[in-house]
């Protein structure tokens, strides 16, 4: 008598259903989305640099000529975006067009990562819609989508971090540390990345608290947090070895704190309302599609 095969666990079946095999049709749709967004960017590939772009490019040139950030030149931003710019200028040339080609590469990478992450969480159609929606949002004028700002560089490591966390059900120490490190790289691109790292850490802690109690939750949070802090600690140690840590701390922490303090919470809420209103007015079809999808 033929032995009956044991059916796979329910969790494995759900995971398999969540991750259908990639089809050529899906890849073709993603490629069309990338080409459409890329065509929009190519029309403006040579526009003059915006304020922040010029600031980052100047610091990148200092780095390429052997200078140390915060010692040879100063800035309130963390150094990740300066080195990202330096890589673009080194590989593509020190031109305005090169900086915007770099933006095209970064946003295209983020679009593909959005697709991969959505495929882990949802079905193939949802993943394509998510990637297309993300691509549309990256060229929105209300989000300064045509400027190679630091926010664009925050996104790829964040998405890689979420992909690592979503790769399996088990919270293995190496996976937690690797994911935390990617979130830490996002923080180095701009301080605002810390909000995303904190949200991911809170999600991990709450998830583990529900699964196994306080000790697994604390262990998970500790390993992830060490990963987040590691890139910053490594950069700080390198700057200290080169005599730049004191100025680094002054410009990115002391001065930045005083600079932010001049902007009151009331003024911040007003700015959020104005900016949010512009984004909603410009991107209501994408937001409506998201609302329909959630419902």
């Amino acid at each position: 008598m033929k032995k009956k095969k044991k059916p796979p666990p329910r969790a494995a079946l759900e995971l398999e259903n969540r991750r259908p095999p990639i089809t050529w049709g899906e890849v073709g749709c993603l490629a069309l989305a990338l080409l459409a967004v890329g065509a929009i960017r190519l029309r403006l590939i040579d526009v003059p640099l915006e304020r922040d772009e010029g600031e980052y490019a100047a610091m990148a040139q200092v780095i390429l000529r052997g200078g140390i950030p915060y010692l040879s030149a100063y800035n309130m931003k963390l150094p990740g975006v300066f080195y990202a710019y330096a890589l673009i200028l080194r590989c593509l040339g020190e031109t305005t067009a090169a900086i915007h080609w770099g933006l095209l590469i970064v946003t295209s990478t983020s679009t593909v990562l959005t697709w991969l992450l959505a495929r882990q969480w949802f079905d193939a159609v949802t993943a394509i819609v998510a990637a297309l929606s993300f691509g549309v949002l990256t060229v929105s004028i209300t989000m300064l989508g045509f400027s190679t700002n630091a926010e664009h560089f925050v996104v790829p490591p964040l998405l890689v971090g979420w992909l690592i966390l979503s790769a399996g059900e088990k919270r293995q120490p190496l996976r937690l540390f690797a994911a935390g490190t990617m979130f830490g790289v996002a923080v180095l691109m701009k301080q605002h990345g810390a909000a995303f790292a904190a949200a991911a850490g809170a999600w991990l802690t709450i998830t583990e608290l529900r699964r196994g109690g306080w000790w697994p939750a604390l262990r998970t949070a500790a390993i992830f947090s060490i990963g987040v802090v590691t890139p910053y600690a490594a950069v700080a140690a390198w700057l200290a070895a080169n005599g730049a840590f004191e100025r680094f701390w002054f410009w990115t922490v002391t001065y930045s704190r005083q600079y932010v303090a001049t902007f009151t919470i009331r003024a911040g809420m007003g700015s959020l309302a104005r900016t949010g209103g512009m984004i909603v007015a410009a991107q209501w079809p994408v937001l409506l599609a998201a609302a329909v999808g959630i419902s």
Side-chain angles (χ1 to χ4, degrees):
M1 188 175 176
K2 205 172 183 180
K3 193 176 178 182
K4 258 189 171 180
K5 284 187 180 179
K6 189 178 177 182
R10 185 176 176 183
L13 285 173
E14 289 176 355
L15 189 63
E16 187 179 350
N17 291 334
R18 243 185 6 244
R19 300 177 187 174
I22 298 173
T23 64
W24 283 110
E26 192 178 355
V27 172
C29 288
L30 179 64
L32 286 174
L34 292 173
L35 287 172
V37 173
I40 295 171
R41 287 200 180 281
L42 285 175
R43 293 180 61 251
L44 301 170
I45 204 75
D46 229 351
V47 296
L49 296 181
E50 181 255 358
R51 178 197 63 188
D52 285 359
E53 289 179 308
E55 176 184 324
Y56 301 148
M59 186 67 90
Q61 288 182 321
V62 168
I63 291 169
L64 290 174
R65 285 151 182 71
I68 304 294
Y70 314 102
L71 202 58
S72 302
Y74 62 86
N75 197 286
M76 289 192 298
K77 309 289 193 337
L78 291 174
V81 67
F82 309 145
Y83 281 93
Y85 259 72
L87 180 62
I88 290 171
L89 297 183
R90 172 62 62 85
C91 295
L92 303 178
E94 297 186 21
T95 65
T96 298
I99 290 171
H100 295 140
W101 274 109
L103 174 61
L104 176 58
I105 293 169
V106 169
T107 54
S108 297
T109 301
S110 297
T111 302
V112 173
L113 291 171
T114 299
W115 170 66
L116 290 172
L117 185 60
R119 286 195 91 261
Q120 287 195 350
W121 290 353
F122 307 105
D123 58 71
V125 174
T126 304
I128 288 295
V129 172
L132 180 59
S133 300
F134 179 85
V136 169
L137 292 173
T138 64
V139 290
S140 170
I141 194 67
T142 57
M143 298 183 183
L144 301 177
F146 293 101
S147 301
T148 315
N149 287 329
E151 288 81 0
H152 292 291
F153 296 94
V154 172
V155 177
L158 285 180
L159 292 172
V160 172
W162 278 114
L163 279 167
I164 293 171
L165 289 177
S166 304
E169 294 299 322
K170 292 181 180 177
R171 299 285 182 257
Q172 298 171 350
L174 184 59
R175 177 178 295 147
L176 288 169
F177 179 80
T181 300
M182 295 311 302
F183 278 90
V185 171
V187 174
L188 283 182
M189 295 298 171
K190 194 170 185 180
Q191 287 93 325
H192 301 65
F196 296 97
W203 176 77
L204 281 170
T205 303
I206 292 170
T207 302
E208 288 304 311
L209 191 59
R210 289 175 175 174
R211 285 181 179 180
W214 281 103
W215 172 243
L218 290 173
R219 174 180 170 274
T220 295
I223 297 171
F224 179 77
S225 299
I226 291 170
V228 173
V229 172
T230 296
Y232 185 95
V235 167
W238 179 79
L239 289 170
N242 286 277
F245 179 78
E246 189 176 343
R247 292 190 181 184
F248 162 72
W249 187 262
F250 172 77
W251 288 113
T252 62
V253 178
T254 307
Y255 181 81
S256 294
R257 186 169 57 237
Q258 295 300 320
Y259 180 84
V260 171
T262 62
F263 203 61
T264 64
I265 294 176
R266 184 176 179 180
M269 294 304 293
S271 177
L272 176 64
R274 287 192 300 274
T275 305
M278 288 193 305
I279 292 172
V280 170
Q283 302 299 335
W284 66 265
V286 174
L287 298 174
L288 179 63
V292 170
I294 291 171
S295 62

